[in-house]
Amino acid sequence: MSAAKNIPSRRAEWLLTLPSLGWLAVFFVAPALIVFLLAFKTADATGGVSAGWTLDNLRALADPQYRPILWRTFWISGTTTLICLVIALPVSFAMARAAPRWRNFLLLLIIIPFWTNFLIRVFAWKTLLQSDGLVSQLLDATRLFDESPTLLYNSGAVLLIMVYTQLPFAILPLYAAAERFDFTLMDAARDLGASGFRAFRSVFIPGISRGLGAAALIVFVATIGMYVVPDIVGGTDSEMIGNKIAQRAQGDRNLPLASALAAALLFCVLLLLILCSSAFRRSEKLDNALKGELQA
Amino acid sequence: MKQLLVLLTLFTTGAFAADTLHVFTWADYINPDLVKQFEKKHQCKVAIDTFDSNEAMYARLKAGASGYDLIFPSSYIITLMVQQDMLQPLDHAQLSNLKNVEFEVLGKLADSAMKHSVPYTFGYAVIAYRKDKVKDIEPSWKTFARTDLKKRVTLLNDMRETIGAALKSLGYSLNTRDDKQLAAARDVLIAWKKNIAKFDNEGYKAGVDSGEFNLVHGYSGDLWQVMQTNKKVGVIIPNEGVSASCDEMVIPKGAPNPALAHQLINFLLDGKASAENMQNIGYLCPNSAGLKLVEKEFLNNPAVTIPADVKAKSEVIQDLGDDLKKYTKVWDEVKAG
Amino acid sequence: MPGFLSFENVTKSFGAVRAVDDVSLDIARGEVFSLLGPSGCGKTTLLRLAAGFEMPDSGRILLDGHDITHLPPETRPVNTVFQNYALFPHLSVADNIAFGLRVAGRNKKDIAREVDAMLDLVRLRSEAQRKPAQLSGGQKQRVAIARALVNKPQVLLLDEPLAALDLKLRQHMLAELRAIHEAAGITFIYVTHDQTEAMGLSDRIAVMNAGHIEQLGPPAEIYDRPRSHFVAGFIGDANFLQGTISAISSRSGCEIDVPDFGKVFSAEQMNLPVGTCVEAIIRPEAIQLLQPSPDVSTSTNTCDAVIDDIIPLGTLTRCIVRMNGISLTAELPRKMLPAGVAKGSRVLVRLDSASVLIMPRNDGTPAAGNHCLDDDKSVVIP
């Protein structure tokens, strides 16, 4: 009887899912496939795509000129991720321990910036950091420098604003994990002689490791393809892979090469996602196995 | 707003009313009074859509956007559009004011017979600086090698313009296909790069106005506009020669209203209209009748009229076909260096 | 005996609530001391104050003569067994036990040896490499104890350690705790709301209510000589009869007049004047049920009654008997029941005068008129 009931309900489920699947297919899968296909095409001098197929674009990726850009992209994304986690860890800890009324208020504070357009927030930072901006004026007031240092147009500015834009994406999953964390474990660790910091490191961090993984993944994936931030506040030494893709597509009129770069990036991100989700599934499977064993 | 216009354009393609002329051009590039006059005279509406780079315009047309009657691209991309058979030949019989176009300018252009395109404006990539911050300035591209400007300097984020500036500083043609010359230009740029804040196409105007940047590489009309309101900003014309660019009027294949497009071209080539236009947009129109009517003060501005000896050494950027790859390679090396 | 662990006038409030209200308490070295009381009575707060998780608002806490009032938990020679064990889920049994030794920076060899010894003590050697999620409740409990004991604390604090276990396991663990205490020989402070756990394990019990200690003493004394209505009601079952002292004999006890029952004689020596409103406390097992017969005089401590209900409890049978306006709960071995009793049977109730406790009601002032009888005439707290 349950089987007879299941079939129509499963069909209904499919029908209900169809619009979103269709949306995903049209606006995500299809463009991604086009990008992958274009990567195997040849470019003509007029900015068009010629009929033939080639592996040259993929071979071009091995060109040593991409190495410093790739290295910089990974370095900036990795450092951004690390800084975001280092800040988000104590923040999420404090939020989870705060009184419920405060907790919602803090959560609101973290979400409010999303009400403002991303680009506007980046430009706001630019206004703050530019040579006659507020931060420079404050630095001038301290008289520590003969002339206030240039705060914009370097990798430091890119890093700062990347951290600023990505921090909520690190805090939210960590907070979700911290909220589920059993804080008596911290008491237990203190009771067994651990200092507050040792308890945080040896008990809290392992206890929210999945949230930590999710936060790291979200921030890293979001920053590795970043184009806008290095374009606006970056200088001559802050070019990332996203900027190179834009240059190939617009300035160089070489869509296939841009596609090859984009496809390589997409491939890296997908690989990372698959690795993480399989690690996640493995740990979940282990949990289930443990539960099963206990029941048996 | 711009995106909305693009969307509207895409969705309403083919459904344009017959008495509407669709113009695709740069922002603030026609005197709005002239547009009103034209609409009144011909009992039509002029709808203006804008692009911010030739490449973006080209890509949109390539992607199938149609319905435009009149487009204002730069000359180098027009060569490409002609090759790609994207443009209609112009009917000179409908263009009585073609006689006003300056003969001297035509000599520098690929389509000097005006078969597909008529020159609209003539501008240069030059240097603007803050008079209050930069002392003892020399009219030379080598100014970018100065290390005392504290990195408050920008170069255009455009490989042809910026490599062109380096080539000019070495006395080479900015359309060179010579590998050695390009390698030398690359080394010059890598040296300059140490002194600049960033490669920038959009922020230099506001940056030199606010004093954030002390020295910028930019387009003459834009810098003329800054100079009109800020007396601390000055312009220098590098004596090694500059890149000249000519934006021209073209009618794409499949334009719904080519007759009205011809009428607008002819209207803008009129001497009086041309003079009014120049003094509004800050770019020189190569129109001999218009230049006679325009105020002396405007013509004396260094951002509008460059010295004759520099002008003689100036060149228009040309499409290099397959050899563009050489520039891309240099540009990549500069960006990575 | 001077206290090994002493609380001196300790007070702790959470907002407007005084969780611990001016408590002074001395716990001896090596004893098993229970804090017993209903939830919210302050027993867990007192334990957390001893562990260092809370700081008192006023008062001092001394351990072996040293003031530890403001020491953080990690520096106190005291370890805790938590209510839900609080085992570290990402560590194996052995690593959980080793945690305290690792934090203390002990060398690997020592750690391995001491962890092994603990695993033997709690009989979990074969589970050493398992994660807490793979253990049963009783095993988790033993890991929690081992994890605390391995640090050789001077005092072991146990916070409702058996609350999450089922009855059988609870009894078994109680016996294990006794054995472990014997082996470790250190002071145990045991927090529970379960009187049988407290009675079965403790040398002494402090019964707590509303932030203060109601009564402190050995288990038998607390059961036999409750000093308040609360203690009598909380420890074991009790019948309460309201009455007035009608006669006092300096040698044998006193007599109270209980309306609806008659005269009740208690062997307790009470230094209270005649006419004082009092409460007589009678344990269910101190009530006899007899066949009504003209041979038995219905005098002091006896009364005619009707059986309202009979509830078999196994070895004992619980009978609810009603006489006039009051009812009593009696518990007696089945064979002590009068032959043929059933619901509605008439019986004679007799109270054992040695087991009738008397305590003053309210503020103990002599009753004016019938004011003693305003309240419920009998209260049974099962």
Side-chain angles (χ1 to χ4, degrees):
Chain A
M1 194 189 115
S2 70
K5 246 184 187 169
N6 263 346
I7 291 164
S9 85
R10 192 165 289 174
R11 193 177 296 158
E13 203 178 301
W14 266 104
L15 283 173
L16 281 173
T17 324
L18 215 58
S20 36
L21 273 182
W23 191 89
L24 211 65
V26 172
F27 291 105
F28 178 73
V29 178
L33 278 179
I34 290 172
V35 166
F36 271 111
L37 285 179
L38 275 178
F40 296 95
K41 285 283 191 180
T42 44
D44 64 23
T46 66
V49 176
S50 11
W53 296 90
T54 179
L55 287 172
D56 284 352
N57 297 317
L58 294 191
R59 272 186 217 115
L61 295 181
D63 190 320
Q65 66 155 306
Y66 294 116
R67 270 172 225 161
I69 299 172
L70 223 57
W71 163 241
R72 186 184 300 126
T73 304
F74 278 95
W75 175 80
I76 290 182
S77 299
T79 312
T80 302
T81 308
L82 208 67
I83 295 174
C84 278
L85 293 184
V86 165
I87 299 173
L89 267 171
V91 169
S92 58
F93 179 83
M95 277 173 68
R97 299 233 76 176
R101 199 163 45 93
W102 276 101
R103 209 181 288 176
N104 289 336
F105 176 71
L106 291 171
L107 210 56
L108 191 72
L109 281 187
I110 285 161
I111 291 165
I112 278 176
F114 289 118
W115 297 351
T116 309
N117 179 287
F118 177 84
L119 265 181
I120 291 176
R121 281 181 285 142
V122 175
F123 273 107
W125 266 106
K126 191 175 173 175
T127 311
L128 275 178
L129 296 179
Q130 70 190 21
S131 62
D132 51 351
L134 193 69
V135 178
S136 286
Q137 284 173 18
L138 286 175
L139 282 179
D140 281 345
T142 64
R143 298 187 186 284
L144 283 171
F145 306 94
D146 291 342
E147 190 170 359
S148 59
T150 311
L151 303 169
L152 278 174
Y153 315 122
N154 51 54
S155 297
V158 174
L159 204 59
L160 171 75
I161 288 149
M162 292 256 231
V163 168
Y164 162 77
T165 56
Q166 299 308 310
L167 195 54
F169 299 106
I171 292 176
L172 293 176
L174 279 184
Y175 167 68
E179 209 189 16
R180 276 180 275 120
F181 178 76
D182 176 9
F183 278 95
T184 54
L185 296 181
M186 294 294 283
D187 280 348
R190 297 289 298 275
D191 189 69
L192 294 168
S195 63
F197 179 71
R198 178 72 192 259
F200 186 84
R201 181 165 65 88
S202 302
V203 177
F204 179 70
I205 291 179
I208 58 159
S209 58
R210 278 185 200 174
L212 208 62
L217 190 69
I218 290 169
V219 174
F220 191 74
V221 166
T223 48
I224 198 166
M226 189 68 88
Y227 157 76
V228 170
V229 174
D231 192 54
I232 294 175
V233 300
T236 51
D237 65 344
S238 330
E239 195 184 31
M240 287 173 68
I241 196 81
N243 304 87
K244 206 72 195 173
I245 293 171
Q247 182 201 323
R248 292 281 180 266
Q250 289 179 357
D252 303 354
R253 287 192 243 137
N254 193 336
L255 216 50
L257 197 50
S259 296
L261 280 168
L265 189 64
L266 201 60
F267 182 75
C268 284
V269 167
L270 281 178
L271 198 70
L272 210 59
L273 281 173
I274 290 166
L275 282 177
C276 286
S277 80
S278 81
F280 183 77
R281 217 171 301 145
R282 221 178 306 131
S283 82
E284 212 163 46
K285 221 183 238 170
L286 189 70
D287 278 5
N288 290 338
L290 297 185
K291 273 178 209 146
E293 191 176 317
L294 196 65
Q295 278 160 6
Chain B
M1 193 60 210
K2 211 185 273 176
Q3 274 95 334
L4 193 70
L5 277 174
V6 173
L7 270 180
L8 282 175
T9 315
L10 287 174
F11 280 113
T12 53
T13 298
F16 290 147
D19 58 347
T20 302
L21 185 72
H22 290 272
V23 175
F24 197 24
T25 184
W26 308 83
D28 305 322
Y29 215 44
I30 303 183
N31 185 340
D33 291 339
L34 290 177
V35 173
K36 277 189 202 124
Q37 283 176 35
F38 181 78
E39 284 176 334
K40 215 170 174 187
K41 191 172 161 194
H42 292 274
Q43 292 296 306
C44 69
K45 274 197 72 68
V46 176
I48 295 178
D49 190 4
T50 61
F51 55 84
D52 53 13
S53 80
N54 287 305
E55 282 74 17
M57 178 277 305
Y58 180 82
R60 199 184 301 170
L61 291 188
K62 269 280 192 184
S66 60
Y68 295 118
D69 295 301
L70 190 59
I71 311 180
F72 291 65
S74 302
S75 49
Y76 75 92
I77 204 121
I78 290 172
T79 314
L80 190 65
M81 291 169 89
V82 171
Q83 280 171 15
Q84 296 286 304
D85 199 21
M86 294 161 78
L87 303 179
Q88 293 191 16
L90 298 175
D91 179 6
H92 286 216
Q94 295 179 53
L95 302 170
S96 57
N97 287 330
L98 275 187
K99 62 181 190 301
N100 289 341
V101 176
E102 278 218 317
F103 186 71
E104 187 194 354
V105 166
L106 284 173
K108 299 199 176 210
L109 298 175
D111 185 17
S112 52
M114 296 192 282
K115 210 174 150 208
H116 292 97
S117 57
V118 181
Y120 175 61
T121 58
F122 204 76
Y124 309 94
V126 296
I127 302 173
Y129 71 106
R130 293 282 299 200
K131 294 175 189 166
D132 54 336
K133 303 222 176 106
V134 185
K135 303 293 169 203
D136 314 317
I137 193 152
E138 296 281 334
S140 164
W141 288 115
K142 295 195 172 76
T143 307
F144 286 106
R146 273 173 70 161
T147 53
D148 62 333
L149 300 176
K150 302 188 178 70
K151 293 198 77 170
R152 293 194 178 179
V153 177
T154 67
L155 281 166
L156 281 169
N157 189 22
D158 180 311
M159 70 178 175
R160 292 303 306 275
E161 291 288 4
T162 299
I163 297 172
L167 285 167
K168 277 287 167 198
S169 80
L170 295 166
Y172 301 139
S173 162
L174 52 70
N175 289 314
T176 185
R177 296 167 193 255
D178 182 299
D179 291 326
K180 269 192 199 131
Q181 292 182 354
L182 280 167
R186 175 197 64 205
D187 295 341
V188 165
L189 277 182
I190 288 173
W192 288 359
K193 193 181 142 188
K194 292 188 181 73
N195 302 324
I196 72 166
K198 69 181 298 185
F199 294 103
D200 177 276
N201 281 348
E202 292 115 17
Y204 69 83
K205 225 169 130 178
V208 75
D209 192 13
S210 72
E212 187 181 9
F213 298 133
N214 292 334
L215 190 77
V216 298
H217 179 203
Y219 294 106
S220 55
D222 286 347
L223 297 172
W224 177 84
Q225 284 167 22
V226 177
M227 287 169 76
Q228 296 314 296
T229 53
N230 192 338
K231 296 294 160 211
K232 288 176 182 159
V233 175
V235 160
I236 53 169
I237 314 299
N239 54 23
E240 300 97 335
V242 295
S243 85
S245 59
C246 185
D247 288 339
E248 304 186 57
M249 297 180 274
V250 297
I251 302 177
K253 280 255 167 83
N257 212 335
L260 205 54
H262 278 91
Q263 295 280 13
L264 184 57
I265 295 174
N266 207 41
F267 176 79
L268 290 172
L269 289 177
D270 171 69
K272 189 163 163 285
S274 178
E276 279 177 38
N277 213 9
M278 285 187 234
Q279 277 165 300
N280 179 266
I281 62 175
Y283 281 94
L284 192 84
C285 295
N287 187 301
S288 45
L291 287 169
K292 275 175 203 141
L293 296 169
V294 86
E295 285 169 22
K296 280 277 163 305
E297 198 190 341
F298 175 79
L299 288 179
N300 286 340
N301 190 304
V304 176
T305 309
I306 64 172
D309 58 327
V310 179
K311 201 171 177 180
K313 289 185 243 172
S314 298
E315 293 173 88
V316 173
I317 291 174
Q318 287 163 10
D319 189 64
L320 298 173
D322 242 9
D323 282 333
L324 188 70
K325 281 188 186 135
K326 294 182 177 176
Y327 282 74
T328 304
K329 182 167 167 286
V330 166
W331 193 235
D332 283 340
E333 285 165 357
V334 168
K335 285 279 181 98
Chain C
M1 177 169 48
F4 176 62
L5 178 65
S6 304
F7 293 85
E8 293 181 354
N9 307 101
V10 170
T11 296
K12 173 73 185 176
S13 300
F14 296 104
V17 182
R18 283 206 161 185
V20 172
D21 189 2
D22 193 27
V23 167
S24 293
L25 181 62
D26 287 319
I27 296 162
R29 191 193 293 269
E31 83 174 317
V32 178
F33 190 95
S34 286
L35 294 166
L36 175 63
S39 64
C41 71
K43 58 188 191 298
T44 295
T45 305
L46 204 56
L47 192 82
R48 290 175 64 80
L49 284 163
F53 301 137
E54 309 286 352
M55 296 291 148
D57 301 333
S58 62
R60 293 202 305 164
I61 302 169
L62 303 172
L63 179 66
D64 204 10
H66 302 288
D67 189 339
I68 61 162
T69 316
H70 298 289
L71 289 184
E74 60 266 31
T75 59
R76 298 187 183 199
V78 162
N79 287 112
T80 308
V81 175
F82 292 85
Q83 185 166 0
N84 294 310
Y85 324 122
L87 299 181
F88 305 127
H90 62 290
L91 299 180
S92 68
V93 167
D95 288 335
N96 260 283
I97 296 173
F99 189 91
L101 302 174
R102 293 219 171 100
V103 166
R106 302 278 295 277
N107 72 50
K108 274 192 179 154
K109 241 171 152 181
D110 283 2
I111 292 174
R113 199 186 57 238
E114 295 192 21
V115 167
D116 278 351
M118 273 300 145
L119 285 168
D120 287 340
L121 179 71
V122 297
R123 292 180 288 108
L124 282 172
R125 192 176 261 280
S126 55
E127 277 79 22
Q129 292 316 313
R130 297 199 162 194
K131 291 281 172 69
Q134 292 166 284
L135 301 178
S136 70
Q139 289 172 325
K140 284 184 197 170
Q141 181 60 69
R142 299 210 295 269
V143 177
I145 292 166
R147 185 179 68 173
L149 283 178
V150 76
N151 303 295
K152 301 206 163 44
Q154 298 187 20
V155 179
L156 184 69
L157 308 173
L158 301 108
D159 185 9
E160 304 253 11
L162 308 183
L165 304 181
D166 57 45
L167 182 65
K168 260 278 168 50
L169 199 52
R170 202 149 53 199
Q171 286 166 348
H172 172 73
M173 282 306 299
L174 215 52
E176 288 216 7
L177 277 175
R178 260 194 304 264
I180 287 168
H181 177 253
E182 214 136 284
I186 56 167
T187 311
F188 275 29
I189 301 182
Y190 190 95
V191 161
T192 182
H193 67 276
D194 186 317
Q195 42 138 338
T196 56
E197 284 177 26
M199 307 272 286
L201 188 68
S202 320
D203 297 318
R204 287 194 301 158
I205 297 174
V207 181
M208 291 190 71
N209 183 30
H212 65 268
I213 293 172
E214 288 264 341
Q215 188 171 351
L216 193 159
E221 185 186 306
I222 292 208
Y223 187 80
D224 295 339
R225 290 266 171 277
R227 260 187 264 131
S228 69
H229 178 98
F230 175 82
V231 174
F234 193 77
I235 308 285
D237 298 340
N239 294 287
F240 296 94
L241 293 175
Q242 320 297 331
T244 319
I245 295 180
S246 53
I248 294 178
S249 148
S250 58
R251 222 177 281 163
S252 53
C254 62
E255 186 189 73
I256 5 172
D257 194 8
V258 177
D260 288 345
F261 188 93
K263 303 281 185 207
V264 172
F265 188 79
S266 165
E268 207 173 2
Q269 307 276 332
M270 294 295 295
N271 195 13
L272 292 169
V274 171
T276 309
C277 284
V278 292
E279 199 167 46
I281 299 161
I282 304 117
R283 296 288 183 195
E285 67 271 19
I287 297 174
Q288 278 179 287
L289 300 182
L290 305 169
Q291 205 74 252
S293 92
D295 304 345
V296 185
S297 64
T298 57
S299 59
T300 308
N301 283 11
T302 58
C303 186
D304 283 321
V306 176
I307 305 259
D308 254 4
D309 203 359
I310 298 180
I311 305 153
L313 300 176
T315 52
L316 293 177
T317 301
R318 177 179 293 162
C319 298
I320 316 292
V321 293
R322 183 166 46 79
M323 51 229 87
N324 305 320
I326 55 178
S327 74
L328 293 172
T329 300
E331 279 173 15
L332 55 170
R334 206 172 338 144
K335 58 183 177 200
M336 299 286 282
L337 282 172
V341 288
K343 241 189 225 179
S345 303
R346 298 190 65 82
V347 290
L348 190 70
V349 167
R350 184 153 72 191
L351 310 177
D352 174 10
S353 64
S355 305
V356 175
L357 299 173
I358 306 279
M359 61 182 65
R361 273 195 84 206
N362 305 328
D363 50 0
T365 49
N370 263 2
H371 128 254
C372 296
L373 310 175
D374 289 348
D375 293 344
D376 295 341
K377 285 168 187 154
S378 171
V379 184
V380 174
I381 302 174

